[in-house]
Amino acid sequence: MALLPLVQKPNQPLIPFSFSNPNNPITLNKTNFTRRTGLILVPTSFILLSSQSANAFDFRITVPDQTLEEAENGIQRHALSLLQVKELLEEESWKEAQKALRKSSALLKQDIYTIIQAKPGKQRPELRKMYSILFNTVSRMDFAARDKDVPRVWECYDNIVLELNNLLSRLR
């Protein structure tokens, strides 16, 4: 019952004084920012600002300082890590497979996009289409792994292997 007087009082503003200018009076007592709002905003902002999205796709297209040489050096390693998801899929450890798939596909996506941008303009549309097909299939496999749909996971994995081989052969 000690909290009852606090609940019954109207919301008090954080700044209980007002400034007045004879030409333009400004009152800060009429502010909409109350203690209740402050008590909600502060913890929420700490939670939102400190959280990291480790289990989500990375939607950055290119790394700002990534050069063509770095992309070409990393593409084989990232392609292999994408294909090594097969071991996790065989064990049916779906969450770990999804995390590995998301991490390796994000890095591979950056590498491939950087290389495509360095190609002549006439080659880009076909490479972008192959790029799109590959990473749409990766997304489908991620959803299939989330749903634990084994036939669809393996169908998507086979399509990823085919599309990755086609794309890598065209990029060379």
Side-chain angles (χ1 to χ4, degrees), residues 25-163:
I26 300 172
T27 60
L28 296 177
N29 282 339
K30 304 263 188 229
T31 182
N32 289 333
F33 191 77
T34 61
R35 280 182 261 160
R36 183 180 301 155
T37 307
L39 287 174
I40 293 171
L41 287 178
V42 171
T44 305
S45 64
F46 282 122
I47 291 169
L48 291 176
L49 293 176
S50 66
S51 66
Q52 296 179 356
S53 59
N55 296 331
F57 280 110
D58 190 4
F59 290 109
R60 291 177 294 150
I61 297 298
T62 60
V63 176
D65 297 327
Q66 187 179 28
T67 64
L68 180 60
E69 292 78 27
E70 290 172 339
E72 288 173 343
N73 292 337
I75 195 168
Q76 291 297 325
R77 183 179 61 238
H78 297 142
L80 286 175
S81 67
L82 179 65
L83 296 177
Q84 288 173 350
V85 172
K86 181 179 184 178
E87 297 168 2
L88 295 170
L89 296 173
E90 288 172 343
E91 297 171 2
E92 294 187 1
S93 55
W94 303 114
K95 291 288 184 188
E96 290 79 15
Q98 284 182 289
K99 288 178 186 178
L101 178 69
R102 291 171 183 166
K103 183 178 179 183
S104 61
S105 68
L107 297 171
L108 182 63
K109 184 181 253 190
Q110 292 171 353
D111 293 339
I112 292 175
Y113 189 84
T114 303
I115 294 170
I116 289 174
Q117 289 303 102
K119 294 287 183 183
K122 290 186 177 184
Q123 293 178 1
R124 288 184 196 166
E126 182 182 355
L127 293 173
R128 285 183 183 143
K129 184 175 181 181
M130 295 171 76
Y131 168 90
S132 175
I133 291 169
L134 173 65
F135 290 105
N136 285 339
T137 307
V138 168
S139 296
R140 284 189 204 104
M141 186 164 103
D142 182 42
F143 293 133
R146 180 194 64 193
D147 297 339
K148 299 175 184 169
D149 185 356
V150 178
R152 203 168 92 201
V153 165
W154 289 113
E155 176 187 343
C156 290
Y157 182 81
D158 293 338
N159 290 339
I160 287 171
V161 171
L162 284 173
E163 289 300 324

